[in-house]
Amino acid sequence: AQSVTQLGSHVSVSEGALVLLRCNYSSSVPPYLFWYVQYPNQGLQLLLKYTSAATLVKGINGFEAEFKKSETSFHLTKPSAHMSDAAEYFCAVSEGAAGNKLTFGGGTRVLVKP
Amino acid sequence: ETGVTQSPTHLIKTRGQQVTLRCSSQSGHNTVSWYQQALGQGPQFIFQYYREEENGRGNFPPRFSGLQFPNYSSELNVNALELDDSALYLCASSLVRGSDSPLHFGNGTRLTVT
């Protein structure tokens, strides 16, 4: 069975500061890892994904994430927060053999202060 | 290209009733998945359909059932509604049945059971 843990249900950052969202996963097979963003009253939008190519993955809106197998982590970062980054962020892992069923973490809500 | 559309956007039902939620997949996508997102939590996988057949199911009881039609649109049916079924129901489509195939989510249907 796979699982995802996101440390911190809420994160508050100042505009222009670094955004760091933590994600640790558990998987018995090589994982496929994803970060999604959810704005209020909307569905989820894919930010980036790791599929066993480069360990540093660049996504949309200036976000990037680094896959660290030894730490079973896939933390999301953005060097400089913008007000439009206020949203909820979900880390997810996909089962290798069972199709693209996703197991999501509990989410981290980001608040950006001016 | 049109994205994933879900209807209705909001729905209120009474405990014990039945409900049908609808989803139109993104153009060209042949796989559809349904997720339940309770308030303050990450989405949970309900089931996936590929070429009109169920292709994987999460930990949900049989009163949660689905259909996929030849045009790849889909329905989620829930019988004997319980209060805990109150949630945002998300539909997601993808092009192929593969672990690294990104999902495209709709904006969801907010179901309230009273």
Side-chain angles (χ1 to χ4, degrees), chain A residues 48-88:
Chain A
L48 50 80
K49 61 178 181 178
Y50 167 76
T51 57
S52 75
T55 57
L56 182 63
V57 182
K58 293 188 182 298
I60 63 172
N61 301 339
F63 284 93
E64 64 181 33
E66 185 173 10
F67 172 69
K68 291 186 177 180
K69 184 178 179 180
S70 61
E71 299 178 5
T72 61
S73 69
F74 190 55
H75 301 332
L76 181 72
T77 60
K78 181 174 181 177
S80 177
H82 190 272
M83 296 299 291
S84 61
D85 295 327
E88 187 148 25

Side-chain angles (χ1 to χ4, degrees), chain B residues 22-70:
Chain B
R22 294 179 173 82
C23 172
S24 292
S25 300
Q26 183 161 322
S27 178
H29 286 186
N30 57 13
T31 301
V32 65
S33 304
W34 286 90
Y35 289 80
Q36 180 196 65
Q37 186 179 15
L39 196 62
Q41 298 182 22
Q44 283 192 289
F45 175 73
I46 303 175
F47 43 56
Q48 180 184 87
Y49 279 80
Y50 172 68
R51 292 185 175 178
E52 303 177 53
E53 292 193 2
E54 187 177 292
N55 174 44
R57 187 179 183 93
N59 189 27
F60 280 82
R63 59 190 186 83
F64 285 77
S65 62
L67 285 172
Q68 186 184 30
F69 300 100

Side-chain angles (χ1 to χ4, degrees), chain A residues 32 34 36 38 41-46 49 51 88 90 94-107, chain B residues 31 33 35 37 40-45 48 55 57-58 88 90 94 96-103 105-107:
Chain A
Y32 295 88
F34 303 79
Y36 281 87
Q38 187 176 34
N41 300 315
Q42 294 188 25
L44 283 77
Q45 180 182 2
L46 179 66
K49 61 178 181 178
T51 57
E88 187 148 25
F90 293 94
S94 175
E95 296 182 356
N100 54 7
K101 164 191 168 182
L102 291 172
T103 299
F104 284 89
Chain B
T31 301
S33 304
Y35 289 80
Q37 186 179 15
Q41 298 182 22
Q44 283 192 289
F45 175 73
Q48 180 184 87
N55 174 44
R57 187 179 183 93
L88 180 68
L90 295 166
S94 61
V96 294
R97 185 186 52 172
S99 289
D100 63 347
S101 176
L103 299 182
F105 283 85
N107 287 340

